[in-house]
Amino acid sequence: MNSGTANKGILVGIAWLGTLALAWFIGASGTTPAPTHATRTVGGPISVKLVSDPGQPADTNSEPGGTTRGSRPSKEPRKRAAARSDDTEVVTFSLEGVETIDDVSARLMKYAAAKLAGGPESHLELFRTLDQVTQNDALEKFVNDERDIAHLIYPWVQFLVERDKQIVSMMETIYRTGAENPARFEGIDDDTFEIFTEGVAFLIPGVVSPEQLERLRAYAQKIVETPEDQLPDGLGGNQNELRRNLKWWMGPLAPDVLRGRILDSNLPAAERLRLIADADRKVLEGMDLVGFLSDQLSAGNPRVIGALGRVTLSESDVAVLDQAAIAGVIGERLSARRLRSYLRSTRRRRWPASRAFIEDGLRQGGNATNTFATLILFEHSPRNDKAFVQHVLATYTIKDSIAADLKRAAGIQ
């Protein structure tokens, strides 16, 4: 078992199982954890003060001697101060001195309970700590296989169920930060985001109010619409998961409403394409979408491929789309791999059906010829058609490395 599997087994796997349990037990617990006061020692472990008496939270307005600004003195100032001091313990999270995976789990659970009860900054600190733990190779020595962590699953399920609202609050913090200040997630691994984008997200519609769901949708939509190269790797690597979140978080629309939204030119192209890709084919019948889809194809929008697969296309529609695809290739906005997906979305998997499109692309010259020659390499039938490959090599100017690959694929000496 490698370290990546071990680490995910400890946190990601437990988190996913725990969040699935929330679907069955939402609202089962009214537990309110004790208030927390968090501090970080620079260069040292994370420290959290836990006030163990939830009925007597620490009062930041207290004056020395037990009085509160603007209030009468306490009847028992000395006794209360002493009790608070005795009831306060400092919890630190680190992997120093741990000997078993149970130690790791217990420390993390105690620390997570404190941070979940805090505000946005506590949520983000916990999120970064989760990332550090899941990516720590030192954990590998504690886990040989899944049996070593099986007994931890139920305690984590119970922990998550008892804090369902706090976990959703943390999730909103993460999504809002990703939308408004993604740079804060620099260096976070994409697996850590998946605890929320693939785990908690599926349960959200059953937990939150319509208003909170709409906020989460808006945050997710903003992240999805941000170019991936403008996002930290971990967040950018979760854009597909966030698109699924948007699908999960939208209830079914009446056909007339759905058609209206798809045709709404004021709606972002990404949202219109998502609606098309998720729509029933019968809803799309009779809708003139070729103009919109061809514009997105020539612009190199990768999401158009999924939408094309849902639309019934005539021969004239395909001809328009083919020219848009070629324009995207000429503008270096569509790759050979995207073209391969395009052929499948337009139902041209077989060589006789795709040949005319490939030959038209080869005739364009320059980068387009090289891209379509590469497309041949991705297609089993044309790359093994020795006569066709010889014709291509004799007719078009193709980059040496691509030509060599074509010869090798076709068995040409």
Side-chain angles (χ1 to χ4, degrees):
M1 187 178 193
N2 61 36
S3 61
T5 303
N7 296 343
K8 283 188 107 174
I10 295 163
L11 284 175
V12 181
I14 288 174
W16 284 14
L17 285 170
T19 51
L20 286 176
L22 293 181
W24 306 325
F25 296 106
I26 288 302
S29 171
T31 304
T32 303
T36 64
H37 305 280
T39 60
R40 177 184 287 278
T41 303
V42 177
I46 300 166
S47 300
V48 183
K49 288 185 178 181
L50 298 181
V51 181
S52 62
D53 179 5
Q56 299 293 339
D59 189 344
T60 56
N61 292 322
S62 294
E63 299 282 6
T67 62
T68 303
R69 299 185 190 97
S71 67
R72 290 176 296 178
S74 169
K75 292 181 180 180
E76 299 178 330
R78 295 183 184 276
K79 182 178 180 181
R80 185 173 300 279
R84 182 169 295 166
S85 176
D86 291 342
D87 287 345
T88 301
E89 66 173 315
V90 176
V91 177
T92 62
F93 179 79
S94 75
L95 295 179
E96 294 180 8
V98 296
E99 297 181 356
T100 67
I101 194 61
D102 296 71
D103 295 339
V104 177
S105 178
R107 289 191 187 187
L108 182 61
M109 190 176 289
K110 195 170 190 178
Y111 175 71
K115 287 300 181 183
L116 281 170
E121 289 302 317
S122 290
H123 297 157
L124 293 173
E125 190 168 3
L126 173 57
F127 188 67
R128 188 164 287 278
T129 300
L130 288 173
D131 182 71
Q132 292 168 354
V133 173
T134 57
Q135 303 310 312
N136 194 319
D137 292 340
L139 295 180
E140 184 178 5
K141 66 182 180 181
F142 299 121
V143 181
N144 295 311
D145 58 41
E146 289 82 356
R147 290 172 295 182
D148 292 338
I149 61 171
H151 66 286
L152 300 176
I153 293 176
Y154 181 76
W156 274 99
V157 168
Q158 187 176 36
F159 176 89
L160 294 167
V161 168
E162 290 174 350
R163 294 163 179 82
D164 57 352
K165 302 298 183 183
Q166 293 178 341
I167 290 168
V168 171
S169 179
M170 179 175 174
M171 181 173 182
E172 183 165 357
T173 295
I174 292 167
Y175 278 55
R176 181 176 62 249
T177 304
E180 298 175 355
N181 189 14
R184 292 203 64 174
F185 292 133
E186 200 67 55
I188 298 289
D189 190 85
D190 57 358
D191 286 345
T192 311
F193 284 101
E194 288 177 7
I195 295 173
F196 293 87
T197 60
E198 290 200 43
V200 181
F202 189 74
L203 309 172
I204 284 298
V207 186
V208 303
S209 66
E211 293 76 18
Q212 190 174 16
L213 184 62
E214 189 56 38
R215 290 200 303 272
L216 286 166
R217 277 185 51 79
Y219 298 142
Q221 186 69 51
K222 185 172 182 180
I223 298 171
V224 164
E225 291 175 357
T226 302
E228 189 171 341
D229 60 2
Q230 295 180 21
L231 294 171
D233 290 344
L235 188 56
N238 269 260
Q239 282 190 315
N240 285 335
E241 285 75 12
L242 289 163
R243 291 187 188 100
R244 282 198 293 272
N245 292 176
L246 291 170
K247 180 179 179 179
W248 294 337
W249 297 345
M250 175 176 283
L253 298 175
D256 289 345
V257 175
L258 179 56
R259 282 192 285 265
R261 286 179 64 83
I262 289 173
L263 294 173
D264 184 358
S265 59
N266 293 318
L267 205 64
E271 178 69 3
R272 294 177 68 187
L273 291 170
R274 187 189 67 78
L275 291 171
I276 295 170
D278 293 342
D280 188 286
R281 292 181 187 277
K282 292 182 179 179
V283 173
L284 302 175
E285 286 180 359
M287 295 182 67
D288 184 6
L289 299 172
V290 175
F292 168 65
L293 294 173
S294 62
D295 287 346
Q296 295 303 308
L297 188 61
S298 64
N301 191 332
R303 297 168 195 162
V304 74
I305 305 298
L308 280 170
R310 306 299 297 169
V311 180
T312 301
L313 300 168
S314 67
E315 287 187 16
S316 60
D317 292 336
V318 173
V320 171
L321 290 166
D322 281 356
Q323 292 308 305
I326 289 173
V329 173
I330 292 173
E332 300 187 12
R333 295 182 292 272
L334 282 177
S335 67
R337 291 191 182 277
R338 293 293 184 198
L339 289 178
R340 187 171 188 251
S341 298
Y342 167 68
L343 284 174
R344 278 146 182 73
S345 69
T346 52
R347 301 162 187 83
R348 287 179 287 179
R349 292 176 178 270
R350 295 186 179 278
W351 173 219
S354 61
R355 182 164 185 160
F357 172 65
I358 292 175
E359 290 184 325
D360 195 5
L362 288 168
R363 285 193 289 269
Q364 304 304 314
N367 170 71
T369 297
N370 287 321
T371 300
F372 276 87
T374 303
L375 175 60
I376 295 171
L377 289 167
F378 294 156
E379 297 291 317
H380 182 269
S381 294
R383 76 174 181 234
N384 289 307
D385 185 336
K386 189 172 183 178
F388 175 70
V389 172
Q390 287 175 325
H391 164 72
V392 169
L393 294 172
T395 307
Y396 306 107
T397 302
I398 297 172
K399 187 176 177 181
D400 289 345
S401 59
I402 300 173
D405 288 339
L406 284 171
K407 288 180 180 179
R408 190 160 41 250
I412 299 172
Q413 300 300 321

